[in-house]
């Protein structure tokens, strides 16, 4: 099989919401094009990356042939994803969307929610990043878990368990009103967002710390 596409995810989900350095992005794009391939930027959390890096989304997307972005993650819109690229590429995307049943009628109200999120929720992503660091700092001293606050750049915190199963901890947390999901055989993944204020984040940290202490 001939490889024709290289994709980069920014921020990187399984790396704990870390951001790509701009020099690295430029190197990936350069080598991809030298090999005759196209470069795609999976920017589901591009808004978080821009806030954390102090760069614009345009700067982070420089050189890529296409980029996708999500409005329903950190920005908090109820639904919506975007894709951008050259005119002929977008024309193909629209055709494929309809072929796969993705066409929607009267979607203006959903677009309005996305526009509102872009206008009002982008800057406040810094609050989510600060809450994630607060969560990591509290859990860094908890028993039977390993969390590195220095690796928390955006709104994702990876929690490594020294004992117990992520599924069991997740279930106990859910029973206490804290929603957190397993993300591997020894890992939990926590995500902060606009529906969870700082007080709720700190409460979640206490709940998780209490559960892991009893493992």
């Amino acid at each position: 099989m001939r490889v024709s596409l290289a994709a980069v995810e920014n921020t990187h989900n399984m790396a704990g919401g870390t951001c790509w350095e701009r020099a690295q992005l430029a190197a990936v794009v350069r080598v991809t094009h030298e090999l005759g391939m196209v470069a795609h930027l999976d920017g589901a959390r591009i808004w978080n990356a821009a806030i954390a890096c102090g760069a614009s989304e345009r700067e982070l997307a420089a050189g890529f042939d296409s980029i996708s972005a999500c409005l329903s993650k950190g920005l908090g819109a109820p639904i919506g994803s975007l894709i951008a690229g050259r005119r002929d590429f977008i024309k193909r995307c629209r055709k494929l969307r309809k072929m796969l049943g993705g066409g929607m009628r009267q979607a203006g109200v959903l677009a309005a929610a996305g526009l509102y999120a872009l206008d009002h929720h982008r800057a406040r992503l810094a609050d989510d990043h600060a809450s994630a660091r607060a969560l990591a700092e509290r859990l860094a001293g908890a028993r039977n878990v390993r969390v590195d606050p220095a690796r928390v750049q955006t709104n994702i915190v990876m929690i490594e368990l020294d004992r117990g199963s992520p599924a069991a901890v997740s279930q106990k947390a859910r029973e206490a009103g804290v929603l957190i999901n397993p993300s591997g055989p020894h890992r939990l993944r926590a995500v902060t967002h606009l529906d969870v204020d700082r007080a709720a984040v700190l409460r979640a940290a206490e709940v998780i710390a209490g559960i892991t202490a009893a493992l």
Side-chain angles (χ1 to χ4, degrees):
M1 180 182 294
R2 180 176 180 274
V3 177
S4 60
L5 170 72
V8 171
E9 184 186 36
N10 196 17
T11 66
H12 196 286
N13 181 13
M14 298 311 294
T18 53
C19 306
W20 281 70
E21 295 182 4
R22 291 173 62 185
Q24 292 177 316
L25 290 174
V28 169
V29 170
R30 184 184 70 254
V31 173
T32 298
H33 289 163
E34 288 174 355
L35 294 173
M37 301 190 299
V38 295
H40 174 73
L41 178 59
D42 177 351
R45 291 167 297 278
I46 190 67
W47 327 106
N48 295 87
I51 292 294
C53 298
S56 69
E57 292 82 359
R58 179 186 294 272
E59 290 170 326
L60 296 179
F64 284 91
D65 299 286
S66 59
I67 174 175
S68 55
C70 185
L71 300 171
S72 60
K73 293 187 185 300
L75 290 182
I79 188 174
S81 293
L82 309 171
I83 188 165
R86 293 185 175 87
R87 188 181 298 274
D88 59 338
F89 170 75
I90 297 301
K91 184 176 181 179
R92 290 174 57 203
C93 288
R94 286 174 173 162
K95 180 179 180 179
L96 288 170
R97 182 188 64 184
K98 289 185 177 181
M99 289 173 60
L100 296 173
M104 295 183 67
R105 294 180 63 246
Q106 300 151 344
V109 66
L110 298 177
L115 290 171
Y116 183 92
L118 284 170
D119 289 339
H120 298 279
H121 293 171
R122 182 182 178 278
R124 62 151 308 281
L125 290 173
D127 298 335
D128 295 339
H129 300 173
S131 289
R133 286 190 293 273
L135 176 69
E137 289 166 359
R138 170 61 184 91
L139 292 177
R143 292 178 57 190
N144 298 320
V145 299
R146 285 174 287 116
V147 178
D148 184 0
R151 289 185 57 82
V152 178
Q153 297 180 1
T154 55
N155 67 325
I156 298 177
V157 180
M158 292 300 193
I159 305 166
E160 302 288 343
L161 297 180
D162 290 328
R163 299 181 62 182
S165 73
V169 173
S170 174
Q171 180 58 37
K172 288 183 178 296
R174 182 178 295 272
E175 292 169 359
V178 176
L179 303 182
I180 184 171
N181 289 327
S183 186
H186 306 289
R187 175 185 287 178
L188 293 161
R189 174 178 174 268
V191 181
T192 56
H193 51 86
L194 82 169
D195 295 315
V196 183
D197 61 19
R198 181 66 61 86
V201 168
L202 295 177
R203 177 184 175 276
E206 295 300 328
V207 168
I208 296 168
I211 294 170
T212 58
L215 293 175

